[in-house]
Amino acid sequence: EAEVAQSPRYKITEKSQAVAFWCDPISGHATLYWYRQILGQGPELLVQFQDESVVDDSQLPKDRFSAERLKGVDSTLKIQPAELGDSAMYLCASSSWTGGRNTEAFFGQGTRLTVV
Amino acid sequence: AQKVTQAQTEISVVEKEDVTLDCVYETRDTTYYLFWYKQPPSGELVFLIRRNSFDEQNEISGRYSWNFQKSTSSFNFTITASQVVDSAVYFCALSEAGAAGNKLTFGGGTRVLVKP
């Protein structure tokens, strides 16, 4: 069964260090999303890609966060420098355009980041 | 702006009891999608259902059923004869209906604990 792959599953980093997360969406899915989920809350969208282009990054803290999807397939989300408040689950999801509409988003297992 | 409210933060039931999760949403869009996702302890979000705003028919899938009432902006979810495996956090979500993909606005989630 096709799934969204994310790595690493867990990451502990020190404050002010750089950290990166990787996501490989389901094959053929043109739309890729990065969400951040703070413990006890619902996920919030950070950035959305359509192929290699950013569609929405209005909630991405651009002073420290960056995201890319260079070839329109896998994607990397980077934080530099990490802050204590960045501790959260980072979820990647993907969806496709089929039959004249977007499919539901399929989520990966997430990367749980702890900043110490 | 879109908003999803799940007033119940945690529900505890004994196995075989029914449990209903409330979801109230706000949107200015005339066409939109509503979703329910399940998040087990492993972390990934599992898609359960998508409902188009034009389709107010209730839906049943096994032990799951959904009640969509546009007049009250509610999309409630019922688990009948709950089982221990239903223990998870359940999220209601909303997205606009368009070609730009399913940017999801999530509620805060309801944690369901089913005791044997």
Side-chain angles (χ1 to χ4, degrees), chain A:
Chain A
E1 182 175 310
E3 60 180 30
V4 176
Q6 288 188 249
S7 67
R9 287 292 310 279
Y10 304 93
K11 180 70 178 180
I12 300 174
T13 191
E14 292 185 348
K15 187 175 58 173
S16 79
Q17 295 298 303
V19 63
F21 315 128
W22 176 80
C23 172
D24 190 13
I26 293 173
S27 178
H29 280 195
T31 310
L32 184 147
Y33 317 79
W34 283 101
Y35 286 85
R36 178 171 62 183
Q37 184 180 18
I38 296 170
L39 188 64
Q41 299 181 18
E44 293 183 327
L45 182 73
L46 290 174
V47 61
Q48 177 183 339
F49 289 92
Q50 185 71 24
D51 298 309
E52 66 275 8
S53 300
V54 173
V55 173
D56 185 344
D57 63 357
S58 58
Q59 299 303 309
L60 188 71
K62 298 180 187 63
D63 57 333
R64 298 184 302 107
F65 285 64
S66 64
E68 59 183 17
R69 193 183 184 199
L70 292 176
K71 296 182 179 179
V73 181
D74 58 339
S75 175
T76 302
L77 178 69
K78 297 179 181 178
I79 308 174
Q80 182 173 18
E83 295 180 352
L84 295 177
D86 296 331
S87 295
M89 174 79 89
Y90 290 83
L91 292 160
C92 180
S94 68
S95 65
S96 67
W97 181 257
T98 302
R101 66 176 191 175
N102 276 291
T103 67
E104 63 274 15
F106 295 87
F107 284 80
Q109 289 192 304
T111 295
R112 186 170 297 281
L113 173 67
T114 302
V115 182
V116 297

Side-chain angles (χ1 to χ4, degrees), chain B residues 4-35:
Chain B
V4 177
T5 301
Q6 295 179 252
Q8 306 145 309
T9 55
E10 184 167 324
I11 300 175
S12 181
V13 296
V14 176
E15 205 169 20
K16 297 185 182 178
E17 288 183 341
D18 297 347
V19 56
T20 295
L21 311 180
D22 298 333
C23 173
V24 175
Y25 63 92
E26 298 175 28
T27 180
R28 293 181 179 177
D29 296 327
T30 55
T31 305
Y32 49 89
Y33 289 112
L34 294 162
F35 301 79

Side-chain angles (χ1 to χ4, degrees), chain B residues 41-99:
Chain B
S42 54
E44 79 277 20
L45 285 162
V46 178
F47 167 78
L48 296 178
I49 189 173
R50 173 168 72 174
R51 173 63 72 214
N52 185 304
S53 55
F54 289 124
D55 182 2
E56 291 193 64
Q57 283 191 333
N58 293 331
E59 182 160 339
I60 298 174
S61 176
R63 297 184 297 106
Y64 295 167
S65 62
W66 291 269
N67 184 346
F68 176 31
Q69 293 196 345
K70 205 168 181 178
S71 61
T72 57
S73 297
S74 65
F75 187 44
N76 297 337
F77 171 35
T78 297
I79 303 172
T80 302
S82 60
Q83 301 176 0
V84 173
V85 293
D86 296 326
S87 296
V89 181
Y90 292 84
F91 290 96
C92 181
L94 170 69
S95 79
E96 61 183 35

